[in-house]
Amino acid sequence: MNELVAGGNVPLPDGAVTLRVSGPFDLSVIVTGDSGKVAGDGDFVFYNQPAAPGARLQGDTVTVDGRRLRAGASRVTVAVSPTDPGTPLGRLPGITLQVHGPGGHQVARFTPPRPDRETVLLLAEIYRRGTGWKLRAIGQGYADGLAGVARDFGVDVAQDEGPQPASPSVAGPRTTTAARPPAPAPAGAPMPRPSAAPDPDGFLPLVNAARASAGAPAVTVDARLTAAASAHAAGMAARSALSSEHADGTSLYQRVLASGYAYLAIGEHLVSGPRTPADFLEYCLSGEQSRRTVHSRAYTQVGLAHTTDARSGDVYWTALWATPFTSQGLAEWASAVLRLTNAERTAAGLRPLSPDPLLTVAAQGHSADMVARAFYAHTSPDGGEPWHRASAAGSTHRAIGENIACGQRTPAEVVDGWMNSPGHRANILKPSFTHLGVGFAGGGSAGTYWTQLFGG
């Protein structure tokens, strides 16, 4: 039996696994593809909708069978909330997730750091790795209830007059969008050369008109982004499924980097259904999150492609929005994380942290390493720990702490996420820490990987 900590993972046995949390809690399950977004309302399993293909909720236990999940599903996120909605989890007994395989054998147990004001906790994620499945402990808290979690996964939740969220609904039976948070590029990555590209479908005038209406500057078409989008759209059409991962396991973000485009920020739209660029853009503008991507000032370049599935006739679209990597941009991201972190410390009556070049080298190295070796954990595949990395960079701090995250779209979003997680918040507000290094890298399966390395 494996006793997991946040970020730790363990392979799962073949067949159905059960996940149980005892106490005054409700379990919920969110089924997604590699984009991290639901494909429809049936992907959200909770007390008002207790079953979906491959996932069934019964009392304090949820059963997940990866073999029976809907087509295109590759991740199942498990959340826990109080039975009495709105009650802070910090007022309730401690939470322990128990995971059992077929036959009742205990596979893992995870007891996250005790929450405080959070009303929902993302406990764990079951995800596909090759031909098998693994479980990753998360322990991320939310203060805005189950509806807030659902919205983050792309569910449009309508609230009724009572305290319980109504059944979620997602507009459109066949189309879905996925917008990836802006992601920084690896340290030392080359700056992309300007690369113009043709726009045979007339997409650019349409999107720039939409951006102008929102006061955003125009974007240009980049040939490398277009090539990556074209390959990805063709891959989705070949599989007849929306996904941020190609059939060979290559993620969309790895494909962008392989095209020679190192990015500081990236966003995406993955859509099936629209027939023309105008219809595609209209769909992207119809949802709040996808509209923000179209209008975002963070992006300066775009690539768009579409491919028709010869079997079904469906059209699969990929749009990539990006800002190329620069050393100055990388430094600005790190400075923003430091500034926001110090704002939280100041509000708590603590002294601000000072930037530390050696800790920055170690933090940046860990973010890049997580991308390069396809893992997400404090412990590297060769057993390296945060204090090992700090020492190897030449740091002499006696106390070392580390926060990591992946997938957040901005420095503000990642710091907010850390502050809403008890263990991460404890590092940010630890009085004995005096210095901070920040690292982040683009690529991998999540698109962006962040590291804070504290010293004291």
Side-chain angles (χ1 to χ4, degrees), residues 140-186:
Q140 178 185 349
Y142 281 72
D144 53 352
L146 193 58
V149 175
R151 280 190 292 268
D152 276 4
F153 282 86
V155 180
D156 186 11
V157 179
Q159 293 283 10
D160 58 22
E161 293 299 321
Q164 307 269 344
S167 297
S169 61
V170 179
R174 293 175 50 255
T175 61
T176 187
T177 62
R180 176 60 53 181

Side-chain angles (χ1 to χ4, degrees), residues 189-265:
M191 185 184 303
R193 297 182 300 275
S195 177
D199 179 32
D201 292 315
F203 174 72
L204 197 61
L206 297 174
V207 72
N208 280 334
R211 288 173 64 86
S213 68
V219 293
T220 59
V221 175
D222 183 273
R224 293 156 300 179
L225 291 176
T226 299
S230 178
H232 193 74
M236 292 193 298
R239 299 169 66 188
S240 300
L242 293 170
S243 174
S244 64
E245 187 173 271
H246 201 261
D248 62 4
T250 302
S251 76
L252 178 59
Y253 318 106
Q254 290 168 321
R255 191 172 295 280
V256 171
L257 294 181
S259 75
Y261 193 103
Y263 58 82
L264 184 69

Side-chain angles (χ1 to χ4, degrees), residues 184-188 264 325-335 364 438-441:
L264 184 69
F325 170 85
T326 65
S327 298
Q328 179 181 350
L330 189 67
E332 289 173 354
W333 280 68
S335 295
Q364 184 61 44
V438 178
F440 39 87

Side-chain angles (χ1 to χ4, degrees), residues 175 177 203 206-207 210 269 271 274-288 290-291 294-295 304 317 321:
T175 61
T177 62
F203 174 72
L206 297 174
V207 72
H269 289 100
V271 178
R275 295 288 174 176
T276 68
D279 291 341
F280 167 77
L281 182 60
E282 181 181 4
Y283 180 82
C284 293
L285 292 172
S286 66
E288 181 180 354
S290 57
R291 182 170 59 249
V294 175
H295 291 161
L304 176 74
W317 299 78
W321 310 79

Side-chain angles (χ1 to χ4, degrees), residues 32-343:
T32 64
D34 292 331
S35 67
K37 303 296 178 182
V38 298
D41 58 359
D43 281 349
F44 188 26
V45 177
F46 65 125
Y47 41 79
N48 280 348
Q49 185 170 267
R56 178 172 293 276
L57 178 64
Q58 188 171 9
D60 61 1
T61 300
V62 63
T63 302
V64 177
D65 189 341
R67 302 167 302 180
R68 301 181 182 277
L69 294 172
R70 64 163 175 81
S74 61
R75 301 184 185 187
V76 179
T77 303
V78 181
V80 64
S81 56
T83 302
D84 183 11
T87 302
L89 290 170
R91 297 181 186 174
L92 301 177
I95 297 169
T96 295
L97 173 68
Q98 300 183 60
V99 184
H100 293 82
H105 172 69
Q106 189 164 16
V107 176
R109 186 172 63 184
F110 173 48
T111 301
R114 189 172 182 83
D116 184 10
R117 65 181 184 274
E118 295 84 354
T119 54
V120 178
L121 200 65
L122 298 188
L123 277 178
E125 176 188 62
I126 295 174
Y127 62 99
R128 188 190 301 275
R129 179 62 69 193
T131 59
W133 294 83
K134 300 183 75 174
L135 175 103
R136 177 187 294 120
I138 301 177
Q140 178 185 349
Y142 281 72
D144 53 352
L146 193 58
V149 175
R151 280 190 292 268
D152 276 4
F153 282 86
V155 180
D156 186 11
V157 179
Q159 293 283 10
D160 58 22
E161 293 299 321
Q164 307 269 344
S167 297
S169 61
V170 179
R174 293 175 50 255
T175 61
T176 187
T177 62
R180 176 60 53 181
M191 185 184 303
R193 297 182 300 275
S195 177
D199 179 32
D201 292 315
F203 174 72
L204 197 61
L206 297 174
V207 72
N208 280 334
R211 288 173 64 86
S213 68
V219 293
T220 59
V221 175
D222 183 273
R224 293 156 300 179
L225 291 176
T226 299
S230 178
H232 193 74
M236 292 193 298
R239 299 169 66 188
S240 300
L242 293 170
S243 174
S244 64
E245 187 173 271
H246 201 261
D248 62 4
T250 302
S251 76
L252 178 59
Y253 318 106
Q254 290 168 321
R255 191 172 295 280
V256 171
L257 294 181
S259 75
Y261 193 103
Y263 58 82
L264 184 69
I266 193 164
E268 71 186 37
H269 289 100
L270 307 179
V271 178
S272 68
R275 295 288 174 176
T276 68
D279 291 341
F280 167 77
L281 182 60
E282 181 181 4
Y283 180 82
C284 293
L285 292 172
S286 66
E288 181 180 354
Q289 182 174 345
S290 57
R291 182 170 59 249
R292 283 200 303 265
T293 301
V294 175
H295 291 161
S296 175
R297 293 174 171 269
Y299 306 125
T300 60
Q301 296 174 323
V302 68
L304 176 74
H306 58 89
T307 301
T308 301
D309 181 347
R311 292 159 296 186
S312 67
D314 289 343
V315 182
Y316 285 81
W317 299 78
T318 299
L320 289 167
W321 310 79
T323 295
F325 170 85
T326 65
S327 298
Q328 179 181 350
L330 189 67
E332 289 173 354
W333 280 68
S335 295
V337 171
L338 175 64
R339 181 178 67 254
L340 292 165
T341 298
N342 280 335

